[in-house]
Amino acid sequence: MAAGKKIYLDYQATTPVDARVGKAMSDWDERSFANPHVNDYMAGIDAGNAVNKARREVAKAVGAVSGSITFTSGATEANNLAVFGVARAASKGRKRVITLASEHKSILEPVRALKKEGFEAVVIPVGRSGLVNIDKLSAAIDRNTLLVSVMHVNNETGVVQPLAEIADLCHKAGALFHSDCAQSLGKIPLDVRKIGVDLMTLSSHKAYGPKGIGALYVRPRPKVPIQPLVLGGGQERGLRSGTLPVPLCVGFGEACRIARADLPKDMKRIGQLAGMLIEGIRQAHPKARLNGSEEQRAPGSFSVCLEGALGEQYLQAFEGLQLSTGSACTSASTKASSVLKSYGLSNAQADSSLRIGIGRFTTEEEIRRAITIIQSGIRKLRIRA
Ligand code: PMP
């Protein structure tokens, strides 16, 4: 990004489309507009092949087979499909669905809505670390538990949950385990086999792909019982009807290919830049505190509490930076972040927090400029830390 341009520090809200992804999509656009579900002529078959190639790339990025990947419009739809789809396929028996208070709204709302369908929704609190309390979770999982949903990387704090341990607990009790991995694809290693997850949500626009597409991984063997939410022509093996948007699939596939290839290099570079930025913030505001665990965290994502002024005041004082006070999904409301509240922060502490996200296209020069802007902004606000 050139000097003078605003510095983007909101990689959790969305990521820029990688130029290699843009090229793959426009190359496809120029080539064909055919419906990928038509097998009667070559252009349709060609489009279908492009979708399948993309599906293989998405699958490979998470160590899965391509038949286990269902394309959706994004992570919100994939989360809804996981929760409602599994609940409606469970005709009798297990009625308890468990999640954490720090989850994204696209999990919390469907889980709460299941109460109207006769399910028991259990929302477990988390503490200051933001990490799941294994004892509380384990006490909540019983023989009546159908599904447990715990996200991988938190979208506000970057805290990483111990998924394999949670999967183990679930399976011992015969429950299914779903994880919202929208913020981990392309950010930290992700493998359905290593985690032992039954269902996994992915989003393209959080991983340098286009907006409007995501996926749900559904374990094929033993097959996870799941019902579709969108009925129609029976595309996606009957799990999600509707014509697939080929350029979006192609872009998502390319984003996943790059995620695999670039992950080690991205993680190292982004981790170093985040370290520089956190150090710069701490120099300006010695009482600056990261929200949630400092150790169990994705490299480029953190939330910092800067007591002494409100998040909005910092945003105004940090002219030239694009960052947010909390999740984009709730930023239309003025309520304190529900994630930070679930970590036990007071309203005042949550209101004094900023979410910062850096990523593949953040440069060292931008981080240096961001530190200068933050340091002079904090001086202007005359915060005596
Ligand atoms: N889950 C998490 C953890 C997210 O961060 C987001 C995006 N804010 C979503 C789900 C929803 O993603 P999408 O925009 O792809 O629907």
Side-chain angles (χ1 to χ4, degrees):
M1 211 177 267
K5 282 242 188 87
K6 297 230 179 205
I7 300 168
Y8 185 69
L9 298 176
D10 200 14
Y11 271 75
Q12 298 95 334
T14 194
T15 53
V17 172
D18 191 296
R20 294 166 284 182
V21 169
K23 178 161 181 344
M25 290 174 70
S26 62
D27 284 354
W28 175 261
D29 246 355
E30 276 170 27
R31 210 165 110 201
S32 175
F33 62 88
N35 186 317
H37 311 290
V38 169
N39 287 321
D40 300 325
Y41 44 83
M42 209 44 224
I45 295 171
D46 206 17
N49 288 338
V51 165
N52 286 335
K53 182 169 171 238
R55 199 189 302 281
R56 282 196 296 277
E57 287 299 347
V58 176
K60 265 200 251 172
V62 298
V65 293
S66 62
S68 62
I69 300 296
T70 295
F71 285 118
T72 64
S73 60
T76 299
E77 184 190 334
N79 281 344
N80 274 263
L81 178 55
V83 173
F84 289 120
V86 164
R88 287 172 192 167
S91 50
K92 52 184 179 314
R94 296 175 180 250
K95 287 285 178 202
R96 177 176 280 212
V97 177
I98 303 175
T99 192
L100 301 188
S102 50
E103 293 291 308
H104 191 265
K105 296 268 191 262
S106 58
I107 284 294
L108 285 169
E109 293 304 316
V111 167
R112 287 187 184 125
L114 276 182
K115 284 196 263 184
K116 288 194 213 102
E117 298 182 25
F119 288 85
E120 185 196 358
V122 178
V123 179
I124 299 183
V126 290
R128 282 282 169 151
S129 70
L131 289 164
V132 62
N133 179 324
I134 289 288
D135 292 338
K136 278 193 187 143
L137 181 65
S138 150
I141 301 176
D142 61 8
R143 291 276 150 198
N144 190 32
T145 303
L146 172 66
L147 177 70
V148 176
S149 181
V150 175
M151 77 202 316
H152 199 192
V153 173
N154 186 275
N155 52 304
E156 290 199 26
T157 61
V159 166
V160 182
Q161 299 289 0
L163 296 191
E165 204 178 335
I166 301 170
D168 234 30
L169 280 182
C170 295
H171 295 154
K172 278 189 187 130
L176 292 168
F177 177 47
H178 166 257
S179 183
D180 175 354
C181 294
Q183 295 284 347
S184 45
L185 177 64
K187 314 283 172 53
I188 59 171
L190 196 52
D191 188 315
V192 294
R193 295 159 304 187
K194 286 195 184 137
I195 296 169
V197 75
D198 301 300
L199 303 114
M200 177 189 278
T201 287
L202 302 171
S203 176
S204 153
H205 76 101
K206 311 282 188 185
Y208 311 98
K211 294 174 186 49
I213 187 157
L216 183 68
Y217 158 81
V218 183
R219 197 193 59 214
R221 268 184 302 273
K223 199 171 177 310
V224 171
I226 183 164
Q227 291 274 318
L229 304 186
V230 179
L231 306 178
Q235 290 91 343
E236 297 297 85
R237 303 169 314 285
L239 190 51
R240 201 269 193 173
S241 287
T243 304
L244 285 173
V246 187
L248 298 185
C249 295
V250 167
F252 187 19
E254 179 65 358
C256 286
R257 185 194 66 74
I258 299 167
R260 263 190 329 128
D262 288 6
L263 188 68
K265 153 172 120 214
D266 276 357
M267 277 183 72
K268 184 159 176 250
R269 205 184 65 84
I270 292 166
Q272 283 164 351
L273 293 182
M276 261 174 76
L277 186 53
I278 292 169
E279 182 52 34
I281 295 172
R282 284 194 164 133
Q283 279 168 11
H285 194 306
K287 283 198 194 145
R289 241 197 351 266
L290 294 193
N291 294 319
S293 164
E294 293 227 5
E295 296 77 35
Q296 309 299 316
R297 177 188 307 285
S301 179
F302 60 94
S303 160
V304 61
C305 178
L306 299 169
E307 282 182 61
L310 291 173
E312 277 76 29
Q313 293 174 292
Y314 289 115
L315 295 191
Q316 278 181 10
F318 300 164
E319 172 69 35
L321 303 187
Q322 290 175 310
L323 75 164
S324 84
T325 52
S327 157
C329 324
T330 44
S331 60
S333 82
T334 50
K335 273 199 263 164
S337 149
S338 65
V339 170
L340 299 183
K341 295 285 297 290
S342 78
Y343 284 22
L345 269 71
S346 65
N347 275 342
Q349 288 167 328
D351 286 341
S352 296
S353 293
L354 294 174
R355 175 176 83 161
I356 300 183
I358 64 178
R360 188 180 290 159
F361 304 109
T362 311
T363 64
E364 188 171 331
E365 195 267 328
E366 284 181 316
I367 293 298
R368 290 193 196 288
R369 276 202 292 137
I371 291 172
T372 308
I373 292 171
I374 290 171
Q375 293 185 339
S376 85
I378 289 178
R379 269 198 306 276
K380 261 191 265 164
L381 289 169
R382 292 177 196 284
I383 291 162
R384 276 186 288 279

